[in-house]
Amino acid sequence: MKPIVVDAFGGDHAPKEIVLGAFLAAKEFNLDIVLVGKRHEIEKSIEIISKDFSSNLAQRITIKDAPTVITMFDKPSVAVRKRNSSMHVGMELVKHDEASAFISAGNSGAVMAIAMMVLGKLKGVSRPAIGALLPTINGSVLLLDAGANVDCKPIHLLEFSIMGSVFIKHMLGIQKPKIGLISNGSEPGKGNSLVIKSYDLIKSSALNFYGNIEGNEIFSDKVDVAVCDGFVGNIILKTSESVPSIIGEFLKAQISKSLVYKIGYLLSKPAFRMLKKKTDYAEFGGAPLLGVNGACIVSHGRSKAYAIKNAILKAAKFASLDINTKIEEAIEKCSALKYIQRGVENAI
C-alpha cells in the first residue's frame, strides 16, 4: 500500500499530537506515513517523539513540506486559494497516486472545498457528504450527511443512502445495511417536503430501506445508516458529542455529595470506563468524506494522538477495500437515480 498522508498542521493539538499519532499508527499497523506541513516544526516534533520508538520506525515517517497553514477561521473560499497549504499539498499526493489516503483534523469546510477542487467527485455523485459513525447500543450507525451540505434535494439524500450503504457493508461487514430517513415521525408522509419526497425516492430503490426514524431511534440499532441533510446532521452530531461530557459532569457533582454514591461509583467504575470508551470520538478516528475521488478522512478538531492513529487505520482500510470504486458501481446500478439524472423526474 502507498503511504497515508496526514495533515500535520490540522487540529487544535498540531503538530505534536499528529506526529505522535503517525508514529503509533506506523508501529501498530506497519504503515508508511507522510506528514505534510512546515518541515522545520515537524522535524522538531519527530526529534522529540522518536526517542520513545525504535530507530527503524522513524524511517516509515517522511515529510512533505507545505509552508502555509489553513486555520479554523479560514473560509473555504479563502482556503482553496492557499495552494501551498498542508491540505492542498497533501491531497495533490493522493490525486497523483503517490499516496493512498489523506487525513486532516483541520477546518472541515476547507477539507471539503479543497477535496472538491483537487480530487473532484466520483462518477455519478452530485454532492459528496461527511459520514460520522456514532455509537449505538450494540454497534454503530453512520450519520450522513453530518455537515457538508446544508441545503439538499431528494436526489442528494438518495445518493447519501447509496454511499452510506456501501461504506457500512464493506467497512463493517453488514451485508444488507438498513437505511433510515431522519424525520419528525416514523409514519410515511411525516416530515418536511425534502423528507416526504426523499422517502418515496429511496423506497423505490433497491436499498434495504427501513423507513423514517425519529431522533430517539438513531442510537437504537434499528438502522445502520441514518440519512438527513447536513443542517440536521450537524446539529445531531454536535448534540450527541456533548451528551457524554454533560452526563460525566452531572455524575461527578452527585457522587461528591454522598459516601454511598462514592462507594457505588468505585464499584461501577469499570462500567463507566466502558461507557466512556464507547462514546469517545477518538475511538472512531474520523469521518469519511464520501463521494470525492480519493480516500479522505476528516478527524475531530480536538483529536490527539490516539484519534489520529485510529483515523489512519480507517483511511488505510477505506483505501485497501477500494470503497470509492464500489460506490461508483452502486450508483451506476441504481435505476431510480438514473431516471432522475436523465431529467425524467425534473421536479426533484
Side-chain angles (χ1 to χ4, degrees), residues 14-324:
K16 185 178 178 181
E17 288 291 327
I18 310 299
V19 174
L20 178 55
F23 269 85
L24 293 173
K27 178 181 179 182
E28 188 169 337
F29 310 129
N30 199 31
L31 293 168
D32 293 319
I33 315 290
V34 178
L35 293 168
V36 187
K38 296 179 180 179
R39 180 180 293 276
H40 180 62
E41 293 190 41
I42 296 174
E43 286 175 340
K44 286 197 296 185
S45 293
I46 288 177
E47 184 179 355
I48 296 169
I49 291 167
S50 62
K51 294 175 184 179
D52 296 325
F53 296 89
S54 68
S55 57
N56 291 335
L57 191 64
Q59 297 174 9
R60 308 210 71 156
I61 312 289
T62 56
I63 301 171
K64 181 72 174 179
D65 188 46
T68 304
V69 175
I70 291 173
T71 73
M72 289 295 189
F73 304 103
D74 284 335
K75 293 181 179 180
S77 58
V78 173
V80 295
R81 294 198 292 270
K82 294 184 175 182
R83 300 297 181 95
N84 57 356
S85 69
S86 52
M87 287 186 192
H88 199 114
V89 172
M91 287 194 212
E92 285 284 352
L93 294 175
V94 176
K95 178 183 178 180
H96 295 293
D97 203 29
E98 297 176 48
S100 298
F102 174 81
I103 297 163
S104 178
N107 184 324
S108 59
V111 174
M112 175 74 170
I114 295 171
M116 289 280 283
M117 183 176 72
V118 175
L119 302 175
K121 296 180 290 187
L122 291 176
K123 183 180 178 181
V125 174
S126 57
R127 291 277 189 94
I130 296 174
L133 274 171
L134 302 176
T136 62
I137 297 170
N138 296 307
S140 57
V141 61
L142 183 70
L143 177 68
L144 194 71
D145 176 22
N149 304 279
V150 174
D151 297 306
C152 291
K153 295 180 179 180
I155 186 174
H156 303 139
L157 268 58
L158 175 57
E159 288 178 8
F160 299 166
S161 301
I162 295 169
M163 293 191 293
S165 181
V166 171
F167 180 86
I168 290 295
K169 177 180 179 180
H170 296 284
M171 291 290 284
L172 299 187
I174 299 172
Q175 289 307 303
K176 292 188 69 176
K178 295 189 292 294
I179 311 297
L181 184 62
I182 297 174
S183 183
N184 63 338
S186 57
E187 304 87 352
K190 283 290 184 76
N192 57 18
S193 175
L194 172 64
V195 171
I196 292 169
K197 290 181 179 179
S198 299
Y199 184 100
D200 293 332
L201 189 57
I202 299 171
K203 187 178 180 181
S204 70
S205 72
L207 294 167
N208 184 15
F209 185 47
Y210 176 86
N212 286 344
I213 58 168
E214 297 183 73
N216 61 338
E217 298 175 301
I218 295 171
F219 307 99
S220 66
D221 291 313
K222 286 188 175 182
V223 299
D224 304 298
V225 182
V227 177
C228 59
D229 63 58
F231 180 81
V232 172
N234 196 252
I235 291 172
I236 292 171
L237 177 64
K238 297 294 174 60
T239 302
S240 64
E241 285 178 346
S242 70
V243 170
S245 60
I246 292 170
I247 293 174
E249 291 300 318
F250 173 79
L251 287 173
K252 284 180 183 178
Q254 295 303 310
I255 288 167
S256 64
K257 294 179 180 179
S258 166
L259 178 60
V260 174
Y261 288 171
K262 289 179 182 178
I263 294 171
Y265 168 72
L266 291 173
L267 293 173
S268 305
K269 202 169 183 179
F272 286 121
R273 193 178 296 119
M274 286 300 298
L275 176 62
K276 184 177 184 299
K277 182 179 176 68
K278 188 173 179 64
T279 58
D280 187 358
Y281 67 85
E283 294 293 330
F284 295 92
L289 182 53
L290 299 176
V292 296
N293 193 19
C296 187
I297 302 294
V298 182
S299 293
H300 200 291
R302 298 198 302 271
S303 292
K304 290 191 175 182
Y306 183 71
I308 296 300
K309 182 200 76 169
N310 286 336
I312 292 171
L313 173 62
K314 181 178 288 184
K317 186 176 181 180
F318 188 105
S320 66
L321 291 173
D322 199 11
I323 298 295
N324 282 338

